[in-house]
Amino acid sequence: MSDKPRIRQVLVVEGRYDAAALENAVDGLILTTDGFSIFKDKQTQALLKELGRQREVILFTDPDAAGFRIRRFVADLVGAEFVRHAYVPAVKGKEKRKPAPGKEGLLGVEGFDVQALRGAVLAAGGTAAAPRAGRAITYADLYAWGLSGTAGSRQERFAFLKRLGLPPRLSKKALCDVLNSLYTWEEVNEIRNGPREG
């Protein structure tokens, strides 16, 4: 059994290497801004706003100017009352995978160890989520529910996400991650099989 704390809030980092490092420290829904792409990515903006209002967001960006610019943008987007801030200290260095330090010569989120990352999330007020109940929602479930890989699945998925108050254009992976974070398999199955809106 994992000793990683399961965090209720949505964790937002800049890139996939930050997300991979954080996945080793905590269990939770981790979304990336893909750097400055968040400024133009309306789908991710809508997802962050919706999930932020449902569960709050913990922003965890690098300690450089770019990281703080992204942090301010997302905080303004989601709303300060739904945002918590996790920080790593400004430490000179470079990540192992990089040939040279970044522009400001500071270690990014991915460069810190598990204990430092976990401590930063908990210090930001990361709260425990209820233990994951039941089995995980899989790609096979999306297919069985008519939300992926079948004739008309795109329209079905859009209508289903609208019922849940989620952005309509989630990828299959993002849809699985979000559903597993917000619902149990049984809850989604009941919603799928429940009465349709008129």
Side-chain angles (χ1 to χ4, degrees):
M1 186 161 184
S2 172
D3 62 346
K4 295 189 294 187
R6 187 157 184 255
I7 303 300
R8 177 184 182 279
Q9 291 88 356
V10 178
L11 298 147
V12 179
V13 295
E14 292 178 54
R16 63 189 173 107
Y17 292 104
D18 299 326
L22 198 54
E23 281 174 358
N24 292 324
V26 296
D27 178 15
L29 177 59
I30 302 171
L31 300 177
T32 66
T33 68
D34 293 326
F36 290 150
S37 296
I38 188 64
F39 298 148
K40 293 184 178 179
D41 185 343
K42 299 301 182 192
Q43 178 183 336
T44 302
Q45 289 177 19
L47 181 60
L48 290 176
K49 281 199 279 193
E50 181 61 34
L51 292 179
R53 283 165 174 76
Q54 289 186 32
R55 304 179 59 167
E56 295 188 334
V57 162
I58 295 177
L59 290 176
F60 203 175
T61 60
D62 292 347
D64 57 11
F68 274 86
R69 187 174 165 204
I70 292 166
R71 185 185 290 272
R72 279 191 303 272
F73 178 84
V74 175
D76 289 345
L77 175 78
V78 174
E81 66 271 32
F82 303 109
V83 173
R84 297 169 188 247
H85 294 274
Y87 298 97
V88 288
V91 174
K92 292 285 184 187
K94 74 171 190 67
E95 290 77 14
K96 290 178 185 174
R97 69 179 178 87
K98 295 181 179 177
K103 187 176 176 182
E104 295 179 34
L106 299 175
L107 207 55
V109 168
E110 70 172 276
F112 286 83
D113 66 23
V114 165
Q115 293 304 324
L117 297 177
R118 184 177 297 157
V121 169
L122 296 176
T127 55
R132 204 179 297 273
R135 68 174 183 80
I137 296 163
T138 65
Y139 293 158
D141 294 320
L142 300 184
Y143 179 83
W145 289 325
L147 301 175
S148 175
T150 61
S153 62
R154 185 169 183 253
Q155 292 79 12
E156 280 289 316
R157 187 165 64 251
F158 279 17
F160 178 63
L161 289 170
K162 185 177 179 184
R163 285 176 72 188
L164 297 180
L166 295 170
R169 288 180 175 81
L170 292 178
S171 69
K172 189 165 68 168
K173 181 184 184 316
L175 178 57
C176 264
D177 288 347
V178 170
L179 290 179
N180 274 310
S181 180
L182 296 174
Y183 302 97
T184 64
W185 181 91
E186 292 77 12
E187 288 169 337
V188 175
N189 194 51
E190 187 176 325
I191 292 166
R192 282 296 301 146
N193 295 319
R196 304 278 176 132
E197 292 178 350

